[in-house]
Amino acid sequence: MNSTRISYNYSLIPNNPVNRYWLLGFIEGEGTFGFKNLSPYFQLGQHTKNIKVLKNIALYLQTIPQVFTFSKNSLPLKVSYALHTNNSISVISVNNIDSLYDYLMFFLLDMPFQSRKGLDFYYWGIVLHLHKFGYFYLKAGVKLVSEIAKYTNKGRYSTNLTKVSSPSLEDIIKVLKLSLPIQLTPEMRHVKLGQSFSRLVQERNIWVYDKGVLINSQPYASYGKAMEAIGYSRTSLAARRSIDTGKVIGGRYTFYSAPQT
C-alpha cells in the first residue's frame, strides 16, 4: 500500500478533486509557510509519484480570486515547480509578495485551520504584511521579521534545546504604528516599493563579520560589494535581508549597519 506499491491506476483519480477544504487539509499536512532570506514563500511537497496531485493543486491555486483589491496591478498566483535535491520529492511554490498577499493570504484567512499550522500561517501573514506595505525596510521591521522567522521554524520545536520566544503582540503593534516614509499606492507593485525605499538611503555602510570577527577595517559601500568580499554573487540578497538581524549566512557571516562592540 505504501513504499513497495508499484502499480498506480491514475484513471481512478478524479481529474481535479481539489476544493477549498480539501486544499486546507492538504496544507495542514504538507504545506510550508516559510522564509528565505527573511522573504515569505509558500510551498507544498509530494513524492514525485504523486506529481499529478501537485499539478491539480497548482491549477486550483490559479483560480483563487484577488481578495485584496486595493492593488490594481497584482498578477494571479504563479506557481513554480522544482525537484528536491534527493530527486524523489517534487515541490510547488509561490514567492511573489503581491500575489501571496492579494490572493493567497486573504483566501486562507477565511479558513478554519485545525492544527499548529494555523499559528505558523498567522505569523507568516504578519511578515507578508510587513513586506507588502514596506515596514520590512525599516530597521525595527527587519528585526521583527527575523524574530518571527526564528520562532516559526526550528525555534519552536520541543526538541530544540535553545528555545526561541514568540514575538509579543506589543512588539508587533509597535512596528505597525511606525510612520512609513513611502506609502503604498494601488498602482505600485512590491518591487517598485522596495526600489523606492532603497533610494531613500543616501549613504550605506555594511560591516561584515566572519564568526564574530570584523573582516575589513572599513565598511563596504554596497550590499553587492559586501557579498563579493565573502565570495558570493554581487546580486545575492543575503546581506540586504539579514543586516542588523544577527542572522548567520553560510554558517559564518553576519552583516551590520554599524560596527559591533
Side-chain angles (χ1 to χ4, degrees):
M1 292 174 63
N2 294 308
S3 60
T4 58
R5 179 160 55 128
I6 59 175
S7 177
Y8 293 84
N9 188 349
Y10 290 111
S11 65
L12 298 176
I13 302 176
N15 286 334
N16 196 342
V18 183
N19 59 54
R20 58 192 289 118
Y21 297 109
W22 185 98
L23 178 61
L24 176 64
F26 199 92
I27 289 173
E28 296 226 45
E30 306 292 345
T32 297
F33 297 106
F35 305 98
K36 184 176 182 180
N37 293 328
L38 300 185
S39 185
Y41 68 89
F42 170 71
Q43 181 175 284
L44 285 168
Q46 273 287 284
H47 194 282
T48 50
K49 294 176 181 178
N50 300 326
I51 188 65
K52 181 175 180 177
V53 175
L54 291 183
K55 288 182 177 179
N56 282 336
I57 292 173
L59 289 173
Y60 182 83
L61 289 175
Q62 291 164 26
T63 68
I64 292 176
Q66 181 178 347
V67 182
F68 186 68
T69 55
F70 172 83
S71 297
K72 302 302 182 185
N73 295 318
S74 286
L75 298 175
L77 289 167
K78 182 179 180 181
V79 179
S80 300
Y81 289 85
L83 190 63
H84 196 272
T85 52
N86 65 9
N87 293 327
S88 64
I89 302 297
S90 293
V91 298
I92 57 173
S93 58
V94 182
N95 54 25
N96 180 275
I97 297 296
D98 292 322
S99 297
L100 287 171
Y101 191 91
D102 299 347
Y103 291 81
L104 185 64
M105 187 185 79
F106 280 89
F107 173 79
L108 291 175
L109 277 172
D110 239 2
M111 303 294 282
F113 280 87
Q114 302 296 311
S115 71
R116 164 69 202 219
K117 191 76 70 176
L119 189 57
D120 289 346
F121 163 68
Y122 297 134
Y123 275 113
W124 178 86
I126 291 170
V127 172
L128 194 52
H129 185 84
L130 297 177
H131 274 267
K132 174 72 175 180
F133 286 88
Y135 295 97
F136 174 74
Y137 298 103
L138 307 178
K139 184 177 291 188
V142 175
K143 184 174 183 293
L144 176 59
V145 170
S146 178
E147 291 174 354
I148 290 175
K150 290 175 183 176
Y151 173 68
T152 58
N153 290 312
K154 294 181 180 179
R156 67 174 173 82
Y157 289 178
S158 60
T159 54
N160 193 336
L161 298 179
T162 305
K163 295 293 184 294
V164 178
S165 299
S166 61
S168 69
L169 182 59
E170 290 75 15
D171 289 340
I172 295 170
I173 292 174
K174 188 182 298 183
V175 171
L176 293 175
K177 285 184 175 180
L178 294 174
S179 297
L180 291 168
I182 296 175
Q183 297 295 319
L184 180 72
T185 66
E187 296 75 25
M188 189 181 292
R189 289 184 179 175
H190 180 69
V191 172
K192 182 70 173 179
L193 181 69
Q195 291 171 344
S196 299
F197 270 95
S198 182
R199 283 194 288 269
L200 292 178
V201 180
Q202 300 299 318
E203 182 179 349
R204 182 175 285 112
N205 292 322
I206 298 102
W207 302 82
V208 184
Y209 289 79
D210 183 354
K211 295 183 178 179
V213 179
L214 187 65
I215 70 169
N216 194 41
S217 59
Q218 297 297 319
Y220 296 96
S222 71
Y223 292 116
K225 290 180 179 179
M227 294 306 298
E228 190 175 50
I230 60 174
Y232 283 68
S233 167
R234 288 177 63 91
T235 60
S236 171
L237 297 176
R240 183 189 302 271
R241 298 292 192 185
S242 62
I243 192 165
D244 294 326
T245 66
K247 180 178 174 63
V248 180
I249 303 300
R252 297 173 56 176
Y253 304 104
T254 49
F255 305 88
Y256 297 94
S257 58
Q260 303 298 290
T261 57

